[in-house]
Amino acid sequence: MADFRSSAIIDKPVHEVFQYVASMEHMPEIMPNVVKVEKLTEGDIGKGTLFKETRQVRGTTISADIEVLEFEQDKLFKTSTDSNGLITEYVYTFHEIAEGTQVELDAFIKTAGLRMKLTKGLIVKMIKREDGFQLEYLKEVLEK
């Protein structure tokens, strides 16, 4: 079961919404703490593609690698980030509907080490507060 979920209906074609999310370069527009995302691997985006994400967290700049775990054009985009034993997996699913595109996000947070496991609830709340509204921001940006 996901640690948190969100969903949005966006009045744009599924291909346009999928491309915007999968390119990852737009993440700073929909995730306020993300400062920059750089593609690290050559070629088209797909399973195994790596990105470097830089974000501001409470006045500190933190960088982490993001790996694309699954990629199904216009349907599914799954990423994983491992930052010092905190593994965050985001699964985006895209559905073409009469109103445009329905996007769903399922977030899975995994922790390593006793201290992180004991504070997992707080970590999930913090990540949800930072990233949980990205689909709302995505809708705002794409429907302008």
Side-chain angles (χ1 to χ4, degrees):
M1 185 165 93
D3 289 294
F4 67 88
R5 309 180 86 183
S6 64
S7 181
I9 295 173
I10 300 172
D11 186 20
K12 292 289 180 183
V14 69
H15 183 73
E16 184 178 334
V17 177
F18 182 88
Q19 287 302 116
Y20 190 91
V21 173
S23 73
M24 299 286 294
E25 67 190 24
H26 302 288
M27 287 298 137
E29 297 171 27
I30 63 172
M31 297 171 77
N33 291 342
V34 175
V35 177
K36 176 171 71 169
V37 176
E38 305 169 68
K39 189 169 177 261
L40 300 176
T41 52
E42 297 293 322
D44 293 337
I45 297 169
K47 185 176 178 179
T49 299
L50 295 174
F51 297 90
K52 180 179 181 179
E53 174 190 80
T54 304
R55 59 171 68 210
Q56 272 310 117
V57 179
R58 291 188 291 280
T60 303
T61 302
I62 300 171
S63 292
D65 289 347
I66 299 172
E67 180 180 1
V68 177
L69 298 180
E70 294 181 44
F71 184 94
E72 192 175 339
Q73 184 68 47
D74 297 340
K75 295 181 193 286
L76 177 76
F77 184 69
K78 180 178 181 181
T79 64
S80 178
T81 305
D82 185 346
S83 181
N84 299 319
L86 174 62
I87 300 167
T88 307
E89 292 182 354
Y90 287 163
V91 181
Y92 301 88
T93 53
F94 302 81
H95 306 280
E96 189 171 353
I97 60 173
E99 298 91 337
T101 302
Q102 180 169 355
V103 185
E104 296 169 351
L105 167 64
D106 289 319
F108 301 89
I109 314 300
K110 300 172 186 171
T111 55
L114 181 60
R115 185 175 185 188
M116 285 187 121
K117 286 183 190 238
L118 292 173
T119 59
K120 182 180 177 188
L122 295 173
I123 292 169
V124 168
K125 285 181 184 177
M126 181 185 76
I127 293 172
K128 184 177 181 181
R129 190 172 48 244
E130 291 178 4
D131 294 353
F133 298 100
Q134 63 183 282
L135 296 185
E136 292 174 31
Y137 297 138
L138 176 66
K139 179 179 176 67
E140 286 177 24
V141 168
L142 290 180
E143 290 184 352
K144 278 187 186 177

